[in-house]
Amino acid sequence: MIVAIVDFHVKAEDQQKALDVLLSEARGVRANSENLTYRPHSNPEDPTHVGVVHEWQSETGFAAYLASDGFKRMGEVLFPLMTQPPSSRRYTAEPIA
């Protein structure tokens, strides 16, 4: 399983817009048979923070998501809103039975 955690910062007035972009794509991402979870979030203690945690069954499924039109659409809106480069961490994990 691949776990991806992405955090980024925007101007406080753009936080809801950025979160809305992530949420607008959530249904399509979750419909992918390789997606296990996709959870956009914001930090109530930091009005500039936006993030998303997602889990994928395989590296192949995650790579297909990164190459998707939906991911491209999100990037076209989100990257210009970011006030600094995003922090993206990816982990290989095994579920605990």
Side-chain angles (χ1 to χ4, degrees):
M1 169 174 53
I2 302 299
V3 178
I5 303 169
V6 180
D7 294 292
F8 59 93
H9 291 272
V10 298
K11 293 178 184 174
E13 61 266 22
D14 290 331
Q15 184 189 50
Q16 189 60 52
K17 179 178 181 178
L19 190 57
D20 288 347
V21 170
L22 292 168
L23 290 169
S24 73
E25 293 293 329
R27 177 175 275 176
V29 175
R30 291 177 185 140
N32 185 314
S33 63
E34 287 279 315
N35 181 257
L36 300 171
T37 190
Y38 178 86
R39 295 186 311 256
H41 62 274
S42 59
N43 181 343
E45 295 177 343
D46 181 352
T48 70
H49 173 265
V50 180
V52 63
V53 175
H54 40 123
E55 298 171 0
W56 296 85
Q57 289 185 23
S58 68
E59 184 70 42
T60 304
F62 183 60
Y65 161 71
L66 294 177
S68 72
D69 290 340
F71 184 78
K72 181 180 177 184
R73 276 192 307 271
M74 282 190 293
E76 289 171 350
V77 177
L78 293 176
F79 282 116
L81 296 177
M82 293 179 189
T83 57
Q84 59 193 38
S87 168
S88 179
R89 286 121 28 233
R90 299 173 188 166
Y91 304 96
T92 302
E94 293 296 324
I96 297 174

